[in-house]
Amino acid sequence: MTDAPLRILLVDDQQLVRLGFRMVLEAEPDLHVVGEAADGREAIRLVAETRPDVILMDVRMPSMDGIEATRRIVEERPGARIIILTTFDLDEYAFGGLRAGASGFLLKDVRPEELIAAVRSVAAGDAAVSGRVTRAMLELFADRLPTSGPDGGRADPIAALTPREREILLAIGEGLTNGEIGARFYLTESTVKTHVGRVLSKLQLRDRVQAVIFAYEHGLVER
């Protein structure tokens, strides 16, 4: 018995863009497009109806843009996996999408094999953008981030981490890969993956992208 195909929702106000992505994705036996939306409001409705595993979300759309739609979808479904589609690398819209809860972003002229790999990666709980790219984006838009740590009235989530897990979080915040983290701390990649998983679980973060953002927001990484 084979696993069910990944369910994908396409959100873009250009029909030809949706058609192109559908053709690429549905050429793969493990990927299935369950719906298409032309704006954010329609996307929210279809997410509730089709319960996709991954959402490809354009940002510049009428009625409701992709950033607001991403924010609302993530609020209603914290486990939602959303990839922002943008025309420009490291632009304000991609930054807004990550801050709203997306698991990554792709350029609209992405190569077919990169699109397919990104969808599978995000569905598996990883991110569709590297930690280094996320860090570069955060540095570019650093003025949009909080300038202080967590509220004093709330428990510090970092306190739940072991010293090693805190080191791992700092390394993720620096944009290091698992291999680079392993080399720094003399750990195998499988051990690093275990630590990363624990960090994400304890801090209730979806993926490495969110971990990089968390590290910046809490002042763990110098800007």
Side-chain angles (χ1 to χ4, degrees):
M1 183 176 179
T2 59
D3 294 333
L6 294 176
R7 300 166 59 82
I8 305 163
L9 176 64
L10 303 178
V11 185
D12 195 294
D13 62 340
Q14 298 182 44
Q15 185 175 4
L16 285 178
V17 172
R18 301 198 306 269
L19 176 61
F21 282 147
R22 177 185 281 272
M23 291 177 63
V24 169
L25 295 169
E26 294 206 321
E28 301 297 312
D30 62 328
L31 305 179
H32 176 56
V33 176
V34 295
E36 299 182 19
D39 60 55
R41 295 188 187 282
E42 188 178 8
I44 293 172
R45 178 180 62 81
L46 286 178
V47 166
E49 292 180 4
T50 64
R51 304 189 69 81
D53 298 303
V54 177
I55 304 161
L56 294 179
M57 179 77 74
D58 187 21
V59 285
R60 299 170 177 86
M61 296 182 293
S63 179
M64 179 186 293
D65 66 28
I67 307 304
E68 180 62 22
T70 294
R71 184 176 296 106
R72 295 193 186 188
I73 290 170
V74 171
E75 285 178 354
E76 295 177 6
R77 295 185 59 204
R81 301 289 178 178
I82 301 174
I83 301 175
I84 292 294
L85 300 173
T86 182
T87 307
F88 302 103
D89 192 6
L90 299 185
D91 73 354
E92 182 176 356
Y93 289 95
F95 170 78
L98 296 183
R99 292 277 288 145
S103 295
F105 72 91
L106 292 173
L107 299 181
K108 284 193 175 183
D109 61 357
V110 62
R111 297 198 300 267
E113 60 270 23
E114 293 175 336
L115 173 65
I116 293 167
V119 168
R120 290 171 177 157
S121 177
V122 166
D126 208 336
V129 59
S130 74
R132 291 192 188 281
V133 171
T134 305
R135 177 169 182 176
M137 183 175 294
L138 292 175
E139 290 172 347
L140 185 63
F141 297 101
D143 59 322
R144 312 287 182 84
L145 293 171
T147 56
S148 60
D151 293 340
R154 297 182 180 179
D156 182 1
I158 301 173
L161 301 180
T162 66
R164 174 62 80 191
E165 289 166 352
R166 184 184 174 95
E167 290 176 336
I168 298 295
L169 174 60
L170 288 172
I172 294 173
E174 293 174 19
L176 301 188
T177 65
N178 284 351
E180 291 168 336
I181 294 174
R184 172 179 290 186
F185 299 115
Y186 304 100
L187 301 171
T188 65
E189 284 202 42
S190 61
T191 300
V192 172
K193 288 180 181 179
T194 298
H195 283 306
V196 170
R198 288 173 179 167
V199 169
L200 298 180
S201 177
K202 287 184 177 181
L203 298 180
Q204 298 182 348
L205 303 172
R206 283 178 296 280
D207 49 46
R208 297 174 73 97
V209 167
Q210 297 299 311
V212 176
I213 294 174
F214 179 95
Y216 265 75
E217 288 181 330
H218 288 74
L220 301 179
V221 180
E222 294 183 2
R223 298 176 186 174

